[in-house]
Amino acid sequence: NITPICTDFLKISPGDAKYANVTHILVDPSCSGSGMVTENLVNNFQSKDEKKIKQLSDLQKSLLAHALSFPSATRVVYSTCSVYAEENECVVEEMLDSHSENWELVKVIPGWTRRGDTSVFKHADRCVRCDPKDETNGFFLACFVRKQKVKVKVKDRDFLGGAKIQNVFSVRHLSMRYRVKHHYKYPYKYIRLY
């Protein structure tokens, strides 16, 4: 169910019980609208205003960072109707760098041929980009997915080269996983050592 709420998103507390079950967030922030053909026609394809773009990208980063702070969120989609890297790849790169412990960027719409600009951001191939030259409005799309945390129950045993594990501990499922045989009762578990 979707319930629209007319309020300033940045004033919503991620810890508010009202939003405890929010798992998916779409961040569709104010942007330059540079991908909108009508916007460009109205403005006669004027050159971009760097000061305005900087203000917009700062707001976009704030909104995206706030969305990534909701504890129950598992997926956050970032979308603009801009063709400027400052509002797209640069925003996503900065947010991924500052939130990489809990979030990863996944490839969206795999069949889409035009991707983000990898000369700006190395993981931009996971993003979708469309330009007005594609005979449509320009837009950008990126999807952040929360890295899974799992609880692994093990007995107080000596394994992993002498490391002792007590009761229950949290481990993060990341790309590098180690297969560890705990005990016959708890066959193979995937954990990341850190």
Side-chain angles (χ1 to χ4, degrees):
N1 293 340
I2 297 173
T3 306
I5 299 169
C6 186
T7 190
D8 180 347
F9 178 64
L10 293 174
K11 292 183 179 175
I12 293 175
S13 169
D16 188 330
K18 188 191 306 189
Y19 307 106
N21 296 322
V22 171
T23 58
H24 292 66
I25 299 174
L26 170 63
V27 179
D28 187 15
S30 297
C31 72
S32 64
S34 58
M36 303 297 291
V37 174
T38 52
E39 178 74 16
N40 284 319
L41 289 173
V42 168
N43 292 323
N44 296 317
F45 293 94
Q46 295 173 353
S47 61
K48 68 181 178 182
D49 179 346
E50 296 293 340
K51 184 178 176 185
K52 179 181 175 185
I53 300 301
K54 170 76 169 102
Q55 291 172 336
L56 287 167
S57 69
D58 288 345
L59 172 64
Q60 293 155 353
K61 290 172 198 172
S62 296
L63 292 167
L64 185 52
H66 191 62
L68 295 172
S69 71
F70 279 70
S72 296
T74 58
R75 190 170 294 254
V76 175
V77 174
Y78 176 73
S79 173
T80 72
C81 56
S82 171
V83 295
Y84 299 140
E86 296 91 337
E87 295 181 273
N88 298 326
E89 289 91 348
C90 295
V91 169
V92 171
E93 179 179 33
E94 188 172 321
M95 291 300 99
L96 187 60
D97 286 347
S98 61
H99 294 83
S100 63
E101 183 177 323
N102 296 316
W103 294 91
E104 61 189 336
L105 194 63
V106 296
K107 188 169 186 173
V108 290
I109 314 175
W112 194 268
T113 54
R114 187 179 295 278
R115 310 308 293 180
D117 186 350
T118 54
S119 70
V120 174
F121 169 49
K122 70 178 180 179
H123 299 299
D125 61 333
R126 299 175 189 171
C127 305
V128 164
R129 176 182 271 284
C130 187
D131 292 326
K133 61 186 162 197
D134 292 323
E135 298 181 19
T136 185
N137 287 332
F139 67 87
F140 179 85
L141 185 67
C143 182
F144 292 81
V145 173
R146 186 179 294 277
K147 293 177 181 176
Q148 293 182 349
K149 292 182 182 178
V150 295
K151 298 219 179 208
V152 179
K153 235 182 194 180
V154 295
K155 292 189 177 194
D156 182 13
R157 307 197 59 208
D158 186 9
F159 73 104
L160 297 178
K164 290 253 186 198
I165 304 298
Q166 302 286 328
N167 301 322
V168 177
F169 64 98
S170 256
V171 291
R172 298 189 198 320
H173 271 228
L174 298 176
S175 58
M176 180 173 260
R177 295 177 181 157
Y178 296 86
R179 196 170 190 177
V180 178
K181 186 175 180 180
H182 294 292
H183 188 265
Y184 295 114
K185 189 174 178 184
Y186 303 104
Y188 296 96
K189 302 290 182 187
Y190 290 93
I191 66 170
R192 178 176 187 262
L193 305 174
Y194 55 100

